[in-house]
Short mmCIF file of all heavy atoms in Angstrom, two decimals:
data_model
loop_
_atom_site.label_atom_id
_atom_site.label_comp_id
_atom_site.label_asym_id
_atom_site.label_seq_id
_atom_site.Cartn_x
_atom_site.Cartn_y
_atom_site.Cartn_z
N GLY A 1143 0.77 -1.23 0.00
CA GLY A 1143 0.00 0.00 0.00
C GLY A 1143 0.81 1.28 0.00
O GLY A 1143 0.24 2.38 -0.09
N GLN A 1144 2.13 1.20 0.08
CA GLN A 1144 2.97 2.39 0.05
C GLN A 1144 3.10 2.90 -1.39
O GLN A 1144 2.87 2.16 -2.35
CB GLN A 1144 4.35 2.08 0.61
CG GLN A 1144 4.35 1.60 2.05
CD GLN A 1144 3.88 2.67 3.02
OE1 GLN A 1144 4.19 3.85 2.88
NE2 GLN A 1144 3.12 2.25 4.03
N THR A 1145 3.50 4.16 -1.52
CA THR A 1145 3.75 4.73 -2.86
C THR A 1145 5.21 5.07 -3.09
O THR A 1145 5.60 5.36 -4.22
CB THR A 1145 2.90 5.99 -3.07
OG1 THR A 1145 3.29 7.00 -2.12
CG2 THR A 1145 1.41 5.69 -2.93
N ARG A 1146 6.01 5.03 -2.03
CA ARG A 1146 7.43 5.34 -2.14
C ARG A 1146 8.21 4.28 -1.37
O ARG A 1146 8.10 4.17 -0.15
CB ARG A 1146 7.76 6.73 -1.57
CG ARG A 1146 7.07 7.90 -2.29
CD ARG A 1146 7.66 8.09 -3.67
NE ARG A 1146 7.14 9.26 -4.38
CZ ARG A 1146 6.07 9.26 -5.15
NH1 ARG A 1146 5.36 8.13 -5.29
NH2 ARG A 1146 5.69 10.34 -5.80
N VAL A 1147 9.00 3.48 -2.10
CA VAL A 1147 9.75 2.39 -1.48
C VAL A 1147 11.22 2.51 -1.87
O VAL A 1147 11.55 2.68 -3.05
CB VAL A 1147 9.20 1.01 -1.91
CG1 VAL A 1147 10.06 -0.11 -1.33
CG2 VAL A 1147 7.76 0.85 -1.47
N ALA A 1148 12.09 2.42 -0.87
CA ALA A 1148 13.53 2.44 -1.09
C ALA A 1148 14.06 1.02 -1.02
O ALA A 1148 13.96 0.36 0.02
CB ALA A 1148 14.21 3.31 -0.04
N ASN A 1149 14.60 0.53 -2.11
CA ASN A 1149 15.15 -0.82 -2.16
C ASN A 1149 16.42 -0.91 -1.31
O ASN A 1149 17.24 0.01 -1.33
CB ASN A 1149 15.52 -1.15 -3.62
CG ASN A 1149 14.97 -2.47 -4.07
OD1 ASN A 1149 13.80 -2.76 -3.85
ND2 ASN A 1149 15.80 -3.26 -4.73
N PRO A 1150 16.61 -1.98 -0.57
CA PRO A 1150 17.89 -2.16 0.13
C PRO A 1150 19.03 -2.32 -0.87
O PRO A 1150 18.84 -2.71 -2.02
CB PRO A 1150 17.68 -3.46 0.92
CG PRO A 1150 16.20 -3.62 1.03
CD PRO A 1150 15.65 -3.05 -0.23
N GLY A 1151 20.24 -2.04 -0.41
CA GLY A 1151 21.41 -2.32 -1.21
C GLY A 1151 21.67 -3.81 -1.30
O GLY A 1151 21.06 -4.62 -0.59
N CYS A 1152 22.60 -4.20 -2.16
CA CYS A 1152 22.85 -5.64 -2.38
C CYS A 1152 23.48 -6.30 -1.16
O CYS A 1152 23.08 -7.41 -0.77
CB CYS A 1152 23.70 -5.85 -3.62
SG CYS A 1152 25.28 -4.97 -3.62
N PHE A 1153 24.45 -5.64 -0.52
CA PHE A 1153 25.05 -6.23 0.69
C PHE A 1153 24.03 -6.32 1.82
O PHE A 1153 23.95 -7.36 2.50
CB PHE A 1153 26.27 -5.41 1.13
CG PHE A 1153 27.46 -5.57 0.24
CD1 PHE A 1153 27.99 -4.48 -0.44
CD2 PHE A 1153 28.08 -6.80 0.08
CE1 PHE A 1153 29.10 -4.62 -1.25
CE2 PHE A 1153 29.20 -6.95 -0.73
CZ PHE A 1153 29.71 -5.85 -1.40
N PRO A 1154 23.24 -5.29 2.09
CA PRO A 1154 22.20 -5.43 3.10
C PRO A 1154 21.19 -6.51 2.79
O PRO A 1154 20.69 -7.19 3.71
CB PRO A 1154 21.54 -4.04 3.12
CG PRO A 1154 22.63 -3.12 2.71
CD PRO A 1154 23.39 -3.87 1.66
N ALA A 1155 20.86 -6.72 1.51
CA ALA A 1155 19.89 -7.77 1.17
C ALA A 1155 20.40 -9.14 1.61
O ALA A 1155 19.65 -9.95 2.16
CB ALA A 1155 19.62 -7.76 -0.33
N ALA A 1156 21.68 -9.40 1.39
CA ALA A 1156 22.25 -10.68 1.81
C ALA A 1156 22.42 -10.75 3.32
O ALA A 1156 22.10 -11.77 3.95
CB ALA A 1156 23.61 -10.90 1.12
N THR A 1157 22.90 -9.68 3.90
CA THR A 1157 23.24 -9.66 5.33
C THR A 1157 22.00 -9.67 6.21
O THR A 1157 21.88 -10.47 7.16
CB THR A 1157 24.08 -8.41 5.64
OG1 THR A 1157 25.30 -8.47 4.89
CG2 THR A 1157 24.39 -8.33 7.12
N LEU A 1158 21.06 -8.79 5.94
CA LEU A 1158 19.92 -8.60 6.84
C LEU A 1158 18.95 -9.77 6.80
O LEU A 1158 18.34 -10.11 7.82
CB LEU A 1158 19.22 -7.30 6.51
CG LEU A 1158 20.08 -6.05 6.73
CD1 LEU A 1158 19.38 -4.81 6.19
CD2 LEU A 1158 20.44 -5.86 8.19
N ASN A 1159 18.80 -10.41 5.64
CA ASN A 1159 17.95 -11.60 5.60
C ASN A 1159 18.51 -12.71 6.49
O ASN A 1159 17.76 -13.47 7.11
CB ASN A 1159 17.78 -12.11 4.17
CG ASN A 1159 16.68 -11.39 3.43
OD1 ASN A 1159 15.99 -10.53 3.97
ND2 ASN A 1159 16.50 -11.73 2.17
N ALA A 1160 19.84 -12.81 6.55
CA ALA A 1160 20.45 -13.82 7.40
C ALA A 1160 20.36 -13.47 8.88
O ALA A 1160 20.16 -14.34 9.73
CB ALA A 1160 21.92 -14.03 7.00
N LEU A 1161 20.48 -12.19 9.20
CA LEU A 1161 20.48 -11.76 10.60
C LEU A 1161 19.09 -11.63 11.20
O LEU A 1161 18.91 -11.81 12.41
CB LEU A 1161 21.19 -10.41 10.72
CG LEU A 1161 22.71 -10.39 10.53
CD1 LEU A 1161 23.21 -8.97 10.68
CD2 LEU A 1161 23.40 -11.31 11.54
N ALA A 1162 18.09 -11.32 10.39
CA ALA A 1162 16.77 -10.96 10.91
C ALA A 1162 16.19 -11.99 11.88
O ALA A 1162 15.73 -11.62 12.96
CB ALA A 1162 15.80 -10.71 9.75
N PRO A 1163 16.18 -13.29 11.56
CA PRO A 1163 15.59 -14.26 12.50
C PRO A 1163 16.33 -14.31 13.84
O PRO A 1163 15.70 -14.47 14.89
CB PRO A 1163 15.70 -15.60 11.76
CG PRO A 1163 15.89 -15.25 10.33
CD PRO A 1163 16.65 -13.97 10.33
N LEU A 1164 17.64 -14.18 13.79
CA LEU A 1164 18.44 -14.26 15.01
C LEU A 1164 18.21 -13.03 15.89
O LEU A 1164 18.12 -13.14 17.12
CB LEU A 1164 19.92 -14.39 14.67
CG LEU A 1164 20.32 -15.48 13.67
CD1 LEU A 1164 21.83 -15.57 13.55
CD2 LEU A 1164 19.73 -16.83 14.05
N LEU A 1165 18.14 -11.87 15.27
CA LEU A 1165 17.89 -10.64 16.02
C LEU A 1165 16.48 -10.62 16.59
O LEU A 1165 16.25 -10.21 17.73
CB LEU A 1165 18.11 -9.43 15.11
CG LEU A 1165 19.56 -9.19 14.67
CD1 LEU A 1165 19.60 -8.21 13.51
CD2 LEU A 1165 20.41 -8.68 15.84
N ALA A 1166 15.52 -11.08 15.79
CA ALA A 1166 14.12 -11.05 16.22
C ALA A 1166 13.88 -11.96 17.42
O ALA A 1166 13.04 -11.66 18.28
CB ALA A 1166 13.20 -11.46 15.07
N GLU A 1167 14.62 -13.07 17.52
CA GLU A 1167 14.45 -14.00 18.63
C GLU A 1167 15.50 -13.82 19.73
O GLU A 1167 15.55 -14.60 20.68
CB GLU A 1167 14.46 -15.44 18.12
CG GLU A 1167 13.25 -15.77 17.26
CD GLU A 1167 12.95 -17.26 17.21
OE1 GLU A 1167 13.55 -18.03 17.99
OE2 GLU A 1167 12.09 -17.65 16.39
N GLY A 1168 16.35 -12.81 19.60
CA GLY A 1168 17.34 -12.54 20.63
C GLY A 1168 18.42 -13.59 20.76
O GLY A 1168 19.01 -13.77 21.83
N LEU A 1169 18.74 -14.28 19.67
CA LEU A 1169 19.75 -15.33 19.71
C LEU A 1169 21.17 -14.79 19.60
O LEU A 1169 22.13 -15.50 19.89
CB LEU A 1169 19.50 -16.35 18.59
CG LEU A 1169 18.19 -17.13 18.68
CD1 LEU A 1169 18.07 -18.10 17.51
CD2 LEU A 1169 18.09 -17.89 20.01
N ILE A 1170 21.31 -13.55 19.13
CA ILE A 1170 22.62 -12.92 19.03
C ILE A 1170 22.56 -11.52 19.62
O ILE A 1170 21.49 -10.92 19.74
CB ILE A 1170 23.12 -12.84 17.57
CG1 ILE A 1170 22.12 -12.05 16.70
CG2 ILE A 1170 23.38 -14.23 16.99
CD1 ILE A 1170 22.63 -11.74 15.30
#
């Protein structure tokens, strides 16, 4: 539903997808 979206950079796309589950559950 947004009209303005900023795409992540290529390094963040690889990095943040890997980190997100661990950060969300407090594992790291």
Side-chain angles (χ1 to χ4, degrees):
Q1144 300 294 322
T1145 62
R1146 298 290 185 271
V1147 176
N1149 230 47
C1152 56
F1153 288 118
T1157 299
L1158 296 172
N1159 276 358
L1161 289 179
L1164 309 186
L1165 292 165
E1167 293 203 10
L1169 296 180
I1170 58 171

